[in-house]
Amino acid sequence: MKRILFVWVALLFGIYLNAQDFPLATMSELYDENPDVANCYEGKLKESEKQKAMQYLNYIRSFHNLKPVQYNSTYDKETAKSALINVANALLDHFPKSNYQCYTQDGYNGSTTSNLYLASALSPNNLPGTEKGMQSWIIDANVEDLGHRRNLLNPFLKYTSFGRVDGNSKTQPSYLLTAMSIKVHQFPDYHNLSDWTPEFIAYPYNDYPSAYVDPTWYLSFIVVADKNNIWNNDNKTVDYSQATVEVKDPSNNKLQISNLKYDYLGYGVPNCIYWKTSGLQKEVKYTVTISNVKVKGTPKTFTYWFRITDNPPSANLQPPTPLSPPDNATNVEIPVTLSWSQVSGAQFYALQVSQNSDLTNPIVDLKNLTTNNYTLSALNPSIKYYWRVAAIKDQQMSNWSQTFSFTTKDVPLTAPITITPLDGETNVDLKPTFVWTKVPLADRYHLQVCLDDTFDDFALIINQDNISDTVYTSATKFFPKTIYYWRVRSAKSTSYSNWSNVKTFWTLDPNTVEYEQNSQPNYILIDEPSKAFISLDISYAKSIMLYNIFGEKLNLSETIQRPNLIEIPYQKLTNGFWVLEIKTDDKIETKFLMIIK
């Protein structure tokens, strides 16, 4: 008696036991951690199995020209706990009672908003595959209102979450059961259908996989008259009271229609007309005409065709689902690795990343990725980025996925590194040129030069807070033979870095030293070895020094035999900014080099 009750309840909730079998699964294939129903533990379903459920659903939806759904892991606990309740109690209930075995509020929430599936299994190594649940829901055998089918074919449905549990029931321990739960209601938002052109959802439609049809059960048809509001498609908008349905074979023979019904229940779009058709066969093209449907008061006729086939065309290539970082993630550390679900049959993936929500002016625009992840290194801190992906096969690209966003973690500005004047340098020009390194993200620099190391206002010689470059030449003369202290910091908006290390320099004695002065730095571009020679009007050099961008010294004095023709060691230098300084007995000459390889 118990076994009869179990089968009746299972069929009521949409199991179709006689349809084409799908590959069986094992516990190790399904779970990272096996369920323990006896202790009310739902286990840990593999991410690949969750994605598989979504892909099966999108495969079915593609035959109806419906937008693909995206996976939303926020609800994974609800769907898993829902499946656990079903197995533990050996029954399906959309409103489980609090005294049920393994009852939780999450399980209740999942049960009230999901399609449910329950079936017996042969052994832990012979479990119903996830596609079996999807087949059951779309056929919806013995469910008179076709609620599961209508939920899956809801054009407004944008997200889903999937859970399953396999194990022995707590109330009937001799039964090894499989329960599945796929969420189809109560998501934060739904698809925007403003760009979706169909006016109806017919089942089956065009060439349709025979595995997902029971020809003796109901066919169905839904009108989508309002694409802005799902609830505006009820009986106030769509009227089937005078509708007729006609199904003809290729010879124009009418097939017998029976059990014609319609309702306005809230399973997906709140209208549906459905009927049974006698004599349907595989590989035969049938034409369906539905007449006298009043849509917003106007009678309309709809015509379409279908063929139940063992050889359906390849489904439209589905877009991947963005996985990580989660949508709207914040404080994401750089570098950021983007990942998305794999798409069966995809040869490549396309990826776009932009600071604009409409993905215009992308900073990444690739179409040749062979893996389902990509690492972004050249990102700025505290910036919101948007990204989306698509699948590519045979030079055809799927629709773009949902756009995800993330905000990178804020990184404090670093202090610049001072380059020149060097610490303790003497005979510096009376109109000094100050040089420091560039700081990423800085939009300006603050330079201070002072007569002492206190940097008090009364002793400041320079206090410039709006320098956009990393070079600054004083417009006024400094005192000769005087020690000065200088420092610089980077800035962005109202944020400042720490000050650089304080460095000192002495201005020259005008009575003893003649200094070659340039009002602007003399930049020399060296982008190939042939340009690495610099001619000077000198015959003797006391020292020849080269400074890299970090202020480190490279002494060329011992290698340069002819100071009037200096060869820069181009191959040894890295790309970037360098300073060449030549000292003689009576002058100092500085050259600013830009090395590009």
Side-chain angles (χ1 to χ4, degrees):
M1 183 62 185
K2 286 184 178 179
R3 183 173 180 81
I4 294 174
L5 176 63
F6 161 66
V7 174
W8 177 81
V9 173
L11 291 178
L12 178 64
F13 281 79
I15 295 183
Y16 184 64
L17 300 178
N18 298 318
Q20 173 182 323
D21 287 335
F22 293 100
L24 298 174
T26 67
M27 296 288 277
S28 61
E29 291 172 339
L30 295 171
Y31 297 97
D32 289 325
E33 296 178 12
N34 288 346
D36 182 0
V37 179
N39 291 301
C40 292
Y41 175 55
E42 68 274 16
K44 187 175 181 181
L45 189 65
K46 288 182 179 292
E47 290 299 320
S48 58
E49 202 64 24
K50 299 174 187 178
Q51 296 301 316
K52 186 184 296 183
M54 183 192 66
Q55 290 171 7
Y56 287 147
L57 174 54
N58 283 332
Y59 173 73
I60 292 171
R61 288 172 65 90
S62 71
F63 289 101
H64 301 268
N65 298 316
L66 296 173
K67 291 187 175 185
V69 300
Q70 299 149 12
Y71 199 88
N72 191 329
S73 60
T74 304
Y75 304 95
D76 280 358
K77 189 174 182 180
E78 291 184 2
T79 52
K81 292 291 188 181
S82 168
L84 176 63
I85 292 175
N86 297 333
V87 170
N89 296 277
L91 56 80
L92 290 168
D93 192 339
H94 282 292
F95 301 94
K97 298 175 177 60
S98 60
N99 62 351
Y100 279 8
Q101 298 288 332
C102 301
Y103 176 89
T104 58
Q105 185 61 46
D106 284 323
Y108 180 88
N109 294 343
S111 297
T112 59
T113 58
S114 301
N115 282 0
L116 305 179
Y117 169 95
L118 186 66
S120 60
L122 299 176
S123 74
N125 291 321
N126 292 278
L127 303 169
T130 293
E131 191 174 6
K132 188 72 174 180
M134 207 65 62
Q135 177 200 48
S136 167
W137 290 320
I138 194 65
I139 292 174
D140 232 0
N142 298 296
V143 179
E144 288 286 332
D145 56 25
L146 307 176
H148 306 92
R149 180 194 299 173
R150 291 157 68 173
N151 284 333
L152 297 187
L153 299 184
N154 178 3
F156 293 89
L157 184 64
K158 186 176 181 179
Y159 302 106
T160 194
S161 171
F162 177 77
R164 72 173 282 167
V165 169
D166 298 83
N168 290 89
S169 169
K170 286 173 71 72
T171 59
Q172 301 184 48
S174 60
Y175 290 133
L176 175 62
L177 303 177
T178 294
M180 303 184 203
S181 177
I182 189 165
K183 186 174 175 68
V184 290
H185 293 297
Q186 293 186 14
F187 289 103
D189 65 296
Y190 292 85
H191 271 311
N192 180 347
L193 299 185
S194 60
D195 59 346
W196 186 69
T197 57
E199 297 180 328
F200 60 84
I201 305 158
Y203 168 92
Y205 185 69
N206 292 358
D207 281 319
Y208 209 83
S210 59
Y212 294 108
V213 181
D214 175 4
T216 68
W217 194 237
Y218 284 102
L219 283 61
S220 58
F221 180 87
I222 295 168
V223 173
V224 185
D226 191 323
K227 298 178 182 179
N228 296 314
N229 187 332
I230 186 173
W231 303 113
N232 286 342
N233 293 284
D234 58 5
N235 60 344
K236 297 178 181 178
T237 304
V238 180
D239 181 3
Y240 293 118
S241 62
Q242 302 299 318
T244 60
V245 177
E246 185 179 79
V247 179
K248 291 184 178 181
D249 66 15
S251 299
N252 213 32
N253 297 314
K254 293 182 181 181
L255 277 66
Q256 183 178 350
I257 301 296
S258 63
N259 297 83
L260 179 64
K261 302 178 182 180
Y262 62 89
D263 66 51
Y264 301 95
L265 300 175
Y267 301 118
V269 177
N271 75 76
C272 186
I273 186 169
Y274 43 103
W275 64 94
K276 293 182 180 179
T277 306
S278 300
L280 292 177
Q281 300 178 25
K282 290 183 182 180
E283 313 304 339
V284 176
K285 183 177 180 180
Y286 297 99
T287 301
V288 180
T289 302
I290 304 177
S291 305
N292 296 321
V293 180
K294 286 188 177 180
V295 180
K296 299 180 180 179
T298 302
K300 296 192 68 171
T301 297
F302 300 92
T303 301
Y304 64 93
W305 66 270
F306 71 87
R307 176 168 37 220
I308 303 170
T309 177
D310 290 334
N311 301 291
S314 298
N316 295 331
L317 192 63
Q318 298 300 309
T321 299
L323 299 177
S324 180
D327 194 18
N328 294 315
T330 57
N331 291 320
V332 180
E333 293 192 2
I334 302 171
V336 179
T337 297
L338 307 178
S339 66
W340 51 89
S341 64
Q342 292 183 324
V343 174
S344 178
Q347 298 166 326
F348 303 98
Y349 295 100
L351 170 67
Q352 287 186 334
V353 183
S354 175
Q355 292 185 31
N356 303 315
S357 60
D358 59 359
L359 276 299
T360 54
N361 300 318
I363 60 172
V364 173
D365 191 3
L366 302 172
K367 292 186 178 179
N368 60 348
L369 300 177
T370 57
T371 61
N372 62 325
N373 57 77
Y374 186 78
T375 298
L376 302 166
S377 299
L379 300 178
N380 294 328
S382 195
I383 296 294
K384 188 170 188 177
Y385 292 93
Y386 300 86
W387 65 286
R388 63 185 181 182
V389 286
I392 298 174
K393 181 181 180 181
D394 298 331
Q395 299 183 339
Q396 298 297 314
M397 193 169 84
S398 73
N399 292 328
W400 286 107
S401 69
Q402 175 193 9
T403 298
F404 268 33
S405 68
F406 63 90
T407 302
T408 49
K409 187 176 182 179
D410 190 17
V411 177
L413 290 170
T414 58
I417 299 172
T418 55
I419 296 177
T420 185
L422 299 176
D423 194 24
E425 186 173 346
T426 59
N427 291 328
V428 174
D429 185 60
L430 298 183
K431 289 185 178 181
T433 294
F434 300 90
V435 181
W436 55 88
T437 58
K438 184 176 182 179
V439 174
L441 301 183
D443 55 25
R444 68 185 191 283
Y445 299 91
H446 183 189
L447 171 67
Q448 287 186 337
V449 184
C450 192
L451 291 168
D452 58 38
D453 59 3
T454 65
F455 290 91
D456 289 333
D457 289 345
F458 70 88
L460 286 174
I461 304 301
I462 294 176
N463 187 25
Q464 289 288 341
D465 188 21
N466 59 350
I467 304 172
S468 59
D469 200 356
T470 57
V471 177
Y472 180 85
T473 301
S474 175
T476 58
K477 285 187 176 182
F478 282 31
F479 299 114
K481 298 175 63 177
T482 303
I483 187 171
Y484 290 91
Y485 300 79
W486 76 286
R487 64 184 184 179
V488 65
R489 61 180 178 175
S490 58
K492 180 182 179 183
S493 185
T494 59
S495 299
Y496 290 88
S497 72
N498 293 327
W499 287 104
S500 65
N501 293 332
V502 176
K503 292 189 176 181
T504 63
F505 63 92
W506 285 85
T507 48
L508 58 80
D509 181 351
N511 296 320
T512 60
V513 178
E514 177 187 351
Y515 187 81
E516 182 178 302
Q517 177 183 322
N518 294 310
S519 59
Q520 295 293 331
N522 184 11
Y523 289 98
I524 299 175
L525 174 65
I526 302 177
D527 56 3
E528 58 182 65
S530 63
K531 297 181 180 179
F533 295 89
I534 298 176
S535 299
L536 299 172
D537 188 19
I538 57 174
S539 59
Y540 167 75
K542 194 173 184 179
S543 69
I544 303 174
M545 304 294 293
L546 194 62
Y547 305 104
N548 70 4
I549 198 168
F550 300 106
E552 298 173 345
K553 297 179 180 180
L554 182 61
N555 192 342
L556 304 183
S557 301
E558 297 179 357
T559 60
I560 300 299
Q561 302 298 322
R562 298 173 55 197
N564 62 330
L565 184 63
I566 298 176
E567 182 179 1
I568 302 300
Y570 175 77
Q571 300 296 348
K572 294 181 180 180
L573 303 184
T574 57
N575 285 330
F577 182 77
W578 294 76
V579 179
L580 177 67
E581 182 182 84
I582 305 99
K583 289 185 179 180
T584 67
D585 287 334
D586 57 355
K587 71 176 180 178
I588 302 170
E589 187 166 346
T590 302
K591 300 289 185 183
F592 297 90
L593 312 181
M594 178 59 71
I595 304 297
I596 300 177
K597 293 184 178 180

